[in-house]
Amino acid sequence: MNAGTQGIRIRRVSSRKRSRDSLQTHLTPARKRGGGDTCLQQCPRNRRLSSIMAQIQPAEYCSDSEDLFGDYDSILEDSSLLAKLDDAEETERQRDLQSAAHIVAVDQQDFIALRPSKDGAWKRSGEDILTDSILDGLGDEPFEDLPGSQVQFQEQVDENVKRRRLQEGEKTSTPFRNTDTEAGRDRNMEDKTKRRSKARRSVTDQLKRTMLCNAAAPSNVSRTVVLKEAVVSEEISVAMQAMETVSAETTDLGPFFGLPTKVKDLMHKLRGIKNLYDWQETCLNLDCVQQRKNLIYSLPTSGGKTLVAEILVLRELLCRKKDCLFILPYISLVQEKVRGLASFGLELDFMVEEYAGSKGKFPPVKRREKRSLYVATIEKAHSLVNSLIETNRLDNLGLVVVDELHMLGDGSRGAIIEMTLAKVLYMSKKTQIIGMSATLGNIRDLQTFLKAENYTNDFRPVQLKEYVKLNDTIYEVDPKEEDCFRFSRLLNFKYSSAMQKIDPDHIIALVTEVIPTHSCLVFCPTKKNCENVAGMICKYLKEEFLQHRQAEKAVLLRELRDSGNGSVCPVLRRTVPYGLAYHHSGLTSEERKLVEEAYSSGVLCLLTCTSTLAAGINLPARRVILRSPYVATDFLKRSQYKQMVGRAGRAGIDTVGESILILQSKDRNMAQTLVCSPMENCYSNLMHDDGKGITSLILSLIGLNVTSSSEQLRDFLRGTLLFVQQQQLCAEQSLWEVVQQKVDLLKDKDLITVTPDAQTLQVTKLGRATYKGSVDLTHSDVLYRDLSRGLEGLLLNSCLHLVYLVTPYDMISQCKPDWRIYFRQFTLLSAAEQKMSAAVGVPESFVARKAAGQTGEKRKKTQRQNGMFQSGSLMKSWSSFQGVDMEAVRRMYLALVLFSLLKETNLWSVADRFQLSRGFVQTLLSSSSAFCSCVLHFTEELEEFWPFKALLTELTRRLSYCVKAELIPLMEVVGVMESRAKQLYNSGYKTLTHLANADPAVLSRTIENLYRKQASQIVASAKMLLNEKAAALQEEVDELLTVPSDLPTTPNTQQLT
C-alpha cells in the first residue's frame, strides 16, 4: 500500500493469553491506550509485514472463552478497522485515476510503455509502482508466525495473481510507438484500471471475511488439548518414520524409546515409574529389538521384566498400528494385567481385551480404527491364534509376548505354548516374538526354536540373601563354600517346653523378627499345613499385634463376611485380627482377592501359602520362609525354589530381602544340590502324556489348511522345539515315525480322512469341531456321544441336563461322592429330573444302594469283627452294580453341585451341604464355565447340534458369574467380585454405563474400603469394556453399510442368452 495512505498494521494474534498491559497495540484507540494522539502512525511505504510482526512480543496462551484477537485488538471490539480499510481502498482508487491521467499525458507525448535500457534492465514510466494486488508490496518472503487462516488467505492471493499474470502474458504484447490508436489506448487503460480495482476489491473482501471468521468463529475444543494432541501425533509420526528407516547403528527412535512423551508421563502417573533401570534401557536399545527380531530375555524374579514387554507392546500398537497378544499363565494374572493396562488404552486410544475362562470372541472383532491388545491365558491364546490363521488375519498381529516362557517344559500347558508359537513362526514372518523367562540351563535350544537372540542379566532391585536353618543355627548360602553353607548366627529366642513341642522348627521366632513392621511369607508343603501354621503363630503373638491397624482389619473381616453371605472361615476369623491369613486354592476367588489386597496395603503382615502363590500374582515380602523343601511329597525343583525365594525384597520399600529354608538333617545333602546347582533344562512337551500334544497339533494343522500332506507336516515340525530336541526326546523311535503313528490314530478316531487319489489329508466335521472347541482328543468322541443322546430326550424345564453335559470330564477324578448326601439331593429332584438322570446312566436305585451300603459300613465292620459277616452277601451286592458307569455317576454328583449353585448362588451353603471345600466348588464352577464355552464352539461346527447354540450361550453366562441377573453387568468389569458388585448396586451404580461414568474420587468415598487407586482401575476397566462393546456394534454397522467389493455389475447384453 502507498506511503500516502493511512498505515494499517497487521498484527498476528496467536492462541496465547496475554497480560492486559500487552494489549496496547497499534489498533487500540488512543483513549484506551491512555495517550492523547488520536492519529495512527503512518506505515513506511516499503515496510514488510514480517518486520512489523517482529516488533510484537510473543503472547501467552488464551483460554477458550477469550476472543482470538484478544480484547481491544478484536475486529468485533474495534469496528474502525474496517472503516480504515475502506478509506485505504478509496485512496487507492484516487491514485489510480491520477496515475491514469498521467499515463494518458505521457502517451500524448509519444508514449513508450516499457523499454529495455542499455544495461538490459527494465524501466517503468512512472515513479510510483502499481501492482495488481495490494499485498504485492509485501514481496515473496514468507510470512512469519501467521495463523493458519491468514496463511491460507495469502496463498490464495498469490495463486490468483500468478494465474492472472499468466493469462495476460498470453493475450497482450508490448505496444510500440504509433502502432495503437487513441481508442485502443483508452480501452487498454480502462481495462487495466478495472482489473486493479477488481483485484483490490476481491482482496479487501477476502481479508474482511477471513478476519471476521477468525474473530467470530466459536471454539468448542480446548486449544491446550488440541496443541497437546498435535504434539503426541507428531511424536508418533516421528517414531514411525524412525522405525521405518532404522539401521543397526540407530538406537534413538524417539523421545521415549520410540513412543510419545505422553507414555512416559502416564508411566509416572499410573505406575509411579520415573526412570528405567539400566538393564531395561540397554534391552530396549538392543539392535535386535530395533530391527524387530525375536528376543528371549532372562532375569531373576522381581527384576522388572514385564515393563520392557509393555513398552514394546505400546510401541507396536501406537507406532506400527498392529495388534498385540500378551500370554500369561493364570486367569488372575490376565485380570490383573487387563486392569493395569486399561487406563493406558483409554489415554492412548487402543483396546484391551480379556481372553480368559469363558471370556473372549473367536475370531476377535476386526476393528478399522483402533488396535487391540489381547491379554490371554495359554489355552485362550492358542484358540485366538487358530482363529486368526483361519480368517487370514495373522499378519495383523505385530507382536506376541510370552510371560514365563520356561513353562514350555510344564506338561500339557507347555505343549500348548509350543504349538501356538510354532504356528506364529510358520505362518507369519512379520510377527515379532518376545519371551520372558527365568534363567534356564538350555536357553540355546529355545533360541534355536524361536530364531531369537538372548539377553541375560542377574539384576535385582533389592539384594537377596539366601539362608538355610538347621536345628537352631542359621547358615548363609554361599556356593564358594565346600558344602555351600556358611555359618551366620544362632537363633536367640526363648522357647518354653510347650512351645518347643508345638513349634520345633522355630517358625514363630523367625517371623516375629520381622512382623508386624515388615511383611513375611511362609511357604508350606500342603494346604492344611498353611492353615495350621497360621493358627499356631497366632497362639503365641503378643497383644500388641491386635492393636496394629485394628480398624482396617475389622473392615477386612466384615468384607470377608459379606463375600461369604454372612459366613467367615473360622481360621481367618481367628488369624486376621493378628494381621495373619492363609492363601491357597481352598479359598474362593473373592476371598483370595481380599486377602491379596489387604497384604499389599499392609493390613496383613504375614501370609502362609502354597507354592502356587509364587507363580501367581506378585506379592513380595521382606522375608520369605520355606517351611519345608517339599511340595506335598515331592522334593522342590530348582525353578520352584528360585520362584519362591525371588519374592523376598520389595523394590522401593526394602533395602534387602531374605529367604530362609528350614531343613531337617536328612535333607541336608539334597538341599545343597537344590540351592547351588545350575538351573534345570527346559524340554518340549509335545510328546507328553503319550504324545497327546503332537496329535492335537497335527489335527489343527490339517483343519486350518496349514498342511495337507505328510511332507508338509514334516516341514512344519522342523520349526518346533521338539525337532530341536529330537535326539533326547525321540530315542526309541524317530520323530517321523511318531508323526505317521499319530496320523493313523486320527484316522481311526474319524477325525481326519485321506483322499485315495492324491493322498491329501483332510479334516472331518468331528475333527474340526474338536480343534475349534479346544476339546481334549480323549474326550471328543465321548462328548459327541453324550450330546447326541442328549438330543434324544433333552430336558428343557430344568437346566440340570445341560449342566450335566458341560460338567468337565477332567474334574471327575477329583470327585469322591458322599453317598448319603448324594441320595438326599437325588430325592429332592423332580420326577422329570430323576428320569433324565436314569437316562444318562445314574438310576435312583443305584444311588440308594450305595447310600445304604455306606450307612451299613460300621455294622459290617462290627459283624466282621464278631465273625458274623457273610462274604457272599458282599459279592451279591457288587454284582448288582455291574453295568453302571461310575464316571457318569461321579459326573452327575458334580452336576448336582453346580445345579444347586445356580439355584442358590450361595457358594458357602452349597459347599457345606455337599461337604466340599469352598475352594473346590469355586474351581468346579470356573472350570465348568470354561468347558461350557468349549462345548458351545464344538456344537457350532456340527449342524445336528444346532439347538445347543442358544441354550449354551446363556448357560455360559450364568456359570461365569453365578449371581443374580442384575449383578452380571457389573461383574463383567475386571476386578469386580460379587460382594463389590452388591456394594456398587446398592450405592446406585447399577449398570456398566453408571460405572464407566463414575468419578473415582466419589466412588472411593462412597464404597467402603475401596482405595482411590482401585476405584480408578475399576472405572478405567468399565470404560474400556463399554468402549469395546460400542466399537463392536459400530463395526457391525459399518460392515452392514459397506458396499461389497465383489458387487456384480450390469451384465453385457451380448452375454445374455
Side-chain angles (χ1 to χ4, degrees), residues 452-493:
E453 297 195 24
N454 180 41
Y455 176 82
T456 303
N457 197 302
D458 59 359
F459 171 82
R460 273 186 58 91
V462 178
Q463 181 186 4
L464 172 63
K465 292 185 177 181
E466 298 179 42
Y467 299 93
V468 296
K469 174 192 166 294
L470 194 59
N471 300 322
D472 58 352
T473 306
I474 305 291
Y475 298 91
E476 184 174 357
V477 175
D478 186 357
K480 297 178 182 178
E481 294 288 327
E482 184 176 351
D483 59 355
C484 291
F485 302 146
R486 186 178 70 246
F487 174 81
S488 177
R489 63 186 175 94
L490 291 172
L491 271 179
N492 184 20
F493 193 86

Side-chain angles (χ1 to χ4, degrees), residues 356-367:
S358 60
K359 292 185 178 180
K361 183 175 177 61
F362 303 104
V365 176
K366 188 175 182 180
R367 307 187 191 281

Side-chain angles (χ1 to χ4, degrees), residues 99-155:
S99 176
H102 175 70
I103 292 173
V104 169
V106 171
D107 190 54
Q108 291 173 352
Q109 299 173 7
D110 298 327
F111 166 76
I112 298 178
L114 293 172
R115 167 178 280 174
S117 61
K118 293 180 180 179
D119 58 0
W122 290 92
K123 292 184 178 179
R124 297 185 183 269
S125 58
E127 181 182 358
D128 290 335
I129 301 173
L130 293 178
T131 63
D132 289 340
S133 171
I134 63 172
L135 293 180
D136 275 7
L138 298 176
D140 296 328
E141 295 181 12
F143 288 103
E144 298 175 6
D145 204 27
L146 280 178
S149 59
Q150 295 183 22
V151 172
Q152 182 182 6
F153 156 71
Q154 173 61 18
E155 290 173 351

Side-chain angles (χ1 to χ4, degrees), residues 433-725:
I433 296 176
I434 302 292
M436 296 178 281
S437 172
T439 305
L440 295 174
N442 62 339
I443 196 73
R444 289 192 178 276
D445 285 355
L446 272 63
Q447 284 183 253
T448 305
F449 163 47
L450 294 177
K451 302 177 180 63
E453 297 195 24
N454 180 41
Y455 176 82
T456 303
N457 197 302
D458 59 359
F459 171 82
R460 273 186 58 91
V462 178
Q463 181 186 4
L464 172 63
K465 292 185 177 181
E466 298 179 42
Y467 299 93
V468 296
K469 174 192 166 294
L470 194 59
N471 300 322
D472 58 352
T473 306
I474 305 291
Y475 298 91
E476 184 174 357
V477 175
D478 186 357
K480 297 178 182 178
E481 294 288 327
E482 184 176 351
D483 59 355
C484 291
F485 302 146
R486 186 178 70 246
F487 174 81
S488 177
R489 63 186 175 94
L490 291 172
L491 271 179
N492 184 20
F493 193 86
K494 295 180 180 179
Y495 266 52
S496 64
S497 57
M499 280 186 66
Q500 186 67 35
K501 291 180 181 178
I502 294 175
D503 182 24
D505 294 325
H506 307 98
I507 295 175
I508 297 172
L510 293 174
V511 300
T512 51
E513 289 179 345
V514 291
I515 64 169
T517 308
H518 300 287
S519 57
C520 183
L521 292 175
V522 181
F523 285 100
C524 302
T526 64
K527 290 185 285 187
K528 189 63 178 175
N529 192 237
C530 289
E531 300 175 30
N532 292 339
V533 169
M536 176 197 70
I537 295 173
C538 287
K539 290 182 180 178
Y540 294 96
L541 291 180
K542 298 178 181 178
E543 292 295 322
E544 61 190 48
F545 280 85
L546 294 172
Q547 311 302 322
H548 184 71
R549 305 185 73 162
Q550 185 175 11
E552 292 164 285
K553 287 184 286 192
V555 172
L556 173 60
L557 277 173
R558 189 158 58 249
E559 289 194 325
L560 287 169
R561 187 177 296 107
D562 291 341
S563 71
N565 292 303
S567 302
V568 182
C569 170
V571 177
L572 292 178
R573 187 189 302 119
R574 186 170 70 254
T575 62
V576 166
Y578 287 92
L580 278 64
Y582 67 90
H583 185 289
H584 58 60
S585 60
L587 295 172
T588 65
S589 55
E590 191 157 2
E591 285 176 314
R592 284 199 298 270
K593 188 171 186 297
L594 289 170
V595 168
E596 289 164 1
E597 289 176 352
Y599 177 81
S600 297
S601 61
V603 175
L604 297 176
C605 58
L606 184 144
L607 294 182
T608 57
C609 50
T610 55
S611 59
T612 54
L613 180 75
I617 192 169
N618 186 22
L619 294 175
R622 171 64 177 269
R623 176 175 288 180
V624 169
I625 299 172
L626 279 67
R627 171 77 174 76
S628 166
Y630 291 89
V631 173
T633 57
D634 299 325
F635 200 82
L636 276 178
K637 296 179 182 178
R638 169 77 172 167
S639 57
Q640 291 175 314
Y641 169 76
K642 277 296 185 183
Q643 238 176 2
M644 293 181 189
V645 302
R647 295 299 182 195
R650 298 168 297 173
I653 301 176
D654 298 325
T655 56
V656 67
E658 302 171 337
S659 70
I660 302 175
L661 172 61
I662 298 176
L663 295 176
Q664 307 301 322
S665 299
K666 64 183 179 66
D667 297 322
R668 178 167 184 153
N669 292 335
M670 294 179 66
Q672 289 174 357
T673 305
L674 175 67
V675 300
C676 296
S677 64
M679 294 297 293
E680 297 105 339
N681 292 335
C682 174
Y683 292 106
S684 168
N685 273 269
L686 288 180
M687 299 295 291
H688 175 74
D689 196 9
D690 197 26
K692 187 182 294 184
I694 193 170
T695 310
S696 177
L697 174 61
I698 292 171
L699 175 63
S700 64
L701 290 176
I702 298 171
L704 293 168
N705 294 320
V706 175
T707 59
S708 59
S709 66
S710 297
E711 187 56 41
Q712 289 178 339
L713 277 174
R714 292 188 179 191
D715 184 51
F716 180 92
L717 291 171
R718 288 187 181 95
T720 62
L721 180 62
L722 176 60
F723 180 81
V724 176
Q725 300 173 334

